[in-house]
C-alpha cells in the first residue's frame, strides 16, 4: 500500500498537481515507516530508509513550493488556484479546503448550494455536511457572526424536515453568537462559498463531495479527512479580480 501511494504521489508530482501529490507523499511515507518497523532484514530496512529519505526531501520541497504560492496568492489575490479531487481520494476535509482563507477578519459567510436538503435524500448527507461546515466556522480562527444560506426546497415530503433541521442548526448557531439567514430559491444552480475578506470558492459538487460512509462505525464517518470523495474540482478566486456579484 505504501509503494502504491508513493507511486501515485510521483505521478501527481510529475503532473504538477502538487497539493494532491503532497497528501499522497505524506500518506505513503507513514505507511513505509510502518513497514520499516515490521522488517527484521537490516539490508531491506536500509533500502526502505533511503527511499523514505528521498520522498521526505521531495515532500518538503513541494511544501515550500505550496507555501510560496500561498504567499503570492494572499499578496494581491491575482492567483487562481484549482484543486482536482479524484474519485475515492481522502485528505480533503473542510478544514483542508477552507482554513487558509478563513482569516481572523472573516465575519460574514455566504453559502449558495441548491442541495442543502433532507438528510435521508438518496446518497446525500447535505444537511450534516452543512452542519460540519458551520462547526468549522465556529471553531475559528475567524470571527464569523453571520452566515447566509441560499438553497432550494426539498421536493416532496422531505421539505418539512429540511426546514426543521435548518432551524435547529440556526438555533444552535445562535448559542454561539452566530446568525444564520436562510433563503430559498427555485432557480439556483451554481454552488459557491464567499467570505467577506474577498475569497470565493467554487466546488463542482458544493459541500456534498463526500461519499456515503460504509457504516455508522466505519473509519471516515466522523473524520471527513478520512472519508473518500467523489471526483470534483475546486476553484478559488478573489472577488477583486472577478466581476462584481
Amino acid at each position: 500500500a505504501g509503494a502504491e501511494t508513493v507511486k501515485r504521489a510521483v505521478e501527481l508530482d510529475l503532473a504538477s498537481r502538487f497539493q494532491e501529490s503532497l497528501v499522497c507523499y505524506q500518506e505513503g511515507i507513514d505507511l513505509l515507516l510502518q513497514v520499516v518497523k515490521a522488517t527484521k532484514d537490516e539490508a531491506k530496512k536500509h533500502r526502505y530508509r533511503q527511499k523514505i529519505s528521498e520522498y521526505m526531501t521531495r515532500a518538503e520541497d513541494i511544501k515550500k513550493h505550496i507555501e510560496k504560492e500561498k504567499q503570492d496568492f494572499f499578496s494581491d489575490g491575482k492567483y487562481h488556484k484549482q484543486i482536482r479531487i479524484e474519485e475515492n481520494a481522502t485528505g480533503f476535509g473542510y478544514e483542508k479546503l477552507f482554513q487558509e482563507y478563513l482569516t481572523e477578519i472573516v465575519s460574514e459567510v455566504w453559502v449558495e448550494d441548491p442541495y442543502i436538503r433532507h438528510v435521508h435524500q438518496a446518497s446525500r448527507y447535505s444537511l450534516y455536511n452543512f452542519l460540519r461546515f458551520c462547526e468549522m466556522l465556529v471553531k475559528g480562527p475567524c470571527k464569523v457572526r453571520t452566515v447566509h444560506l441560499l438553497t432550494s426546497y426539498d421536493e416532496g415530503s422531505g421539505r418539512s424536515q429540511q426546514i426543521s433541521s435548518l432551524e435547529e442548526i440556526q438555533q444552535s448557531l445562535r448559542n454561539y453568537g452566530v446568525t444564520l439567514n436562510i433563503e430559498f430559491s427555485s432557480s439556483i444552480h451554481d454552488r459557491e462559498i464567499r467570505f467577506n475578506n474577498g475569497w470565493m470558492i467554487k466546488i463542482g459538487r458544493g459541500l456534498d463531495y463526500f461519499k456515503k460512509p460504509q457504516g455508522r462505525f466505519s473509519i471516515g464517518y466522523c473524520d471527513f479527512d478520512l472519508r473518500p470523495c467523489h471526483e470534483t474540482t475546486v476553484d478559488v478566486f478573489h472577488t477583486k479580480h472577478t466581476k462584481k456579484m
Side-chain angles (χ1 to χ4, degrees):
E4 287 298 316
T5 305
V6 292
K7 180 182 177 182
R8 182 59 183 151
V10 172
E11 291 173 353
L12 292 166
D13 191 352
L14 292 172
S16 298
R17 294 165 63 177
F18 299 119
Q19 188 73 54
E20 297 159 87
S21 175
L22 180 60
V23 172
C24 288
Y25 272 124
Q26 290 170 335
E27 290 181 359
I29 289 167
D30 286 342
L31 290 169
L32 290 176
L33 285 171
Q34 293 175 32
V35 172
V36 170
K37 289 180 181 179
T39 301
K40 295 181 180 179
D41 188 314
E42 289 300 323
K44 284 185 178 179
K45 274 191 175 185
H46 179 69
R47 288 198 298 272
Y48 283 137
R49 284 171 178 152
Q50 279 187 318
K51 297 303 292 183
I52 289 170
S53 178
E54 291 175 15
Y55 295 138
M56 289 178 73
T57 298
R58 181 54 187 160
E60 190 60 34
D61 288 343
I62 291 175
K63 190 182 294 185
K64 289 177 182 177
H65 174 76
I66 292 172
E67 286 302 318
K68 184 179 183 304
E69 282 192 334
K70 284 181 182 178
Q71 290 174 9
D72 295 340
F73 190 22
F74 287 111
S75 64
D76 61 5
K78 291 180 180 179
Y79 185 77
H80 166 215
K81 181 177 181 180
Q82 184 176 84
I83 301 170
R84 285 177 289 176
I85 301 176
E86 294 192 332
E87 187 78 3
N88 292 316
T90 57
F92 291 96
Y94 292 149
E95 283 84 358
K96 179 80 172 181
L97 290 187
F98 299 109
Q99 202 76 65
E100 62 185 294
Y101 313 110
L102 289 170
T103 56
E104 292 186 359
I105 66 170
V106 174
S107 60
E108 198 165 5
V109 177
W110 290 262
V111 178
E112 295 186 8
D113 189 326
Y115 295 110
I116 308 298
R117 296 184 178 182
H118 186 27
V119 69
H120 297 302
Q121 185 179 356
S123 77
R124 290 190 180 276
Y125 284 73
S126 300
L127 281 165
Y128 279 138
N129 291 348
F130 179 65
L131 175 59
R132 294 283 182 89
F133 178 77
C134 290
E135 287 176 338
M136 177 191 66
L137 297 177
V138 168
K139 285 192 296 185
C142 57
K143 310 295 183 185
V144 173
R145 290 292 172 262
T146 309
V147 178
H148 305 273
L149 172 64
L150 179 63
T151 189
S152 59
Y153 281 116
D154 198 345
E155 299 171 358
S157 59
R159 180 177 295 191
S160 60
Q161 281 200 298
Q162 176 197 23
I163 294 172
S164 64
S165 297
L166 285 172
E167 288 176 346
E168 188 173 344
I169 295 173
Q170 188 178 50
Q171 178 57 51
S172 184
L173 283 171
R174 195 174 293 131
N175 295 334
Y176 287 86
V178 180
T179 299
L180 172 60
N181 297 320
I182 306 167
E183 293 185 37
F184 296 94
S185 169
S186 59
S187 59
I188 179 177
H189 294 289
D190 292 342
R191 299 168 174 87
E192 67 180 41
I193 295 168
R194 304 192 303 277
F195 307 130
N196 67 324
N197 60 353
W199 294 111
M200 176 173 65
I201 295 94
K202 290 179 175 284
I203 308 175
R205 288 179 172 269
L207 292 173
D208 193 28
Y209 59 88
F210 297 103
K211 289 197 167 184
K212 180 180 179 180
Q214 293 181 346
R216 291 169 59 190
F217 297 98
S218 61
I219 296 297
Y221 185 86
C222 297
D223 189 339
F224 274 23
D225 277 336
L226 300 173
R227 179 86 67 87
C229 300
H230 292 288
E231 182 177 352
T232 193
T233 301
V234 182
D235 287 285
V236 183
F237 307 90
H238 196 281
T239 52
K240 179 181 176 182
H241 297 282
T242 58
K243 291 182 179 179
K244 189 175 181 180
M245 293 175 291

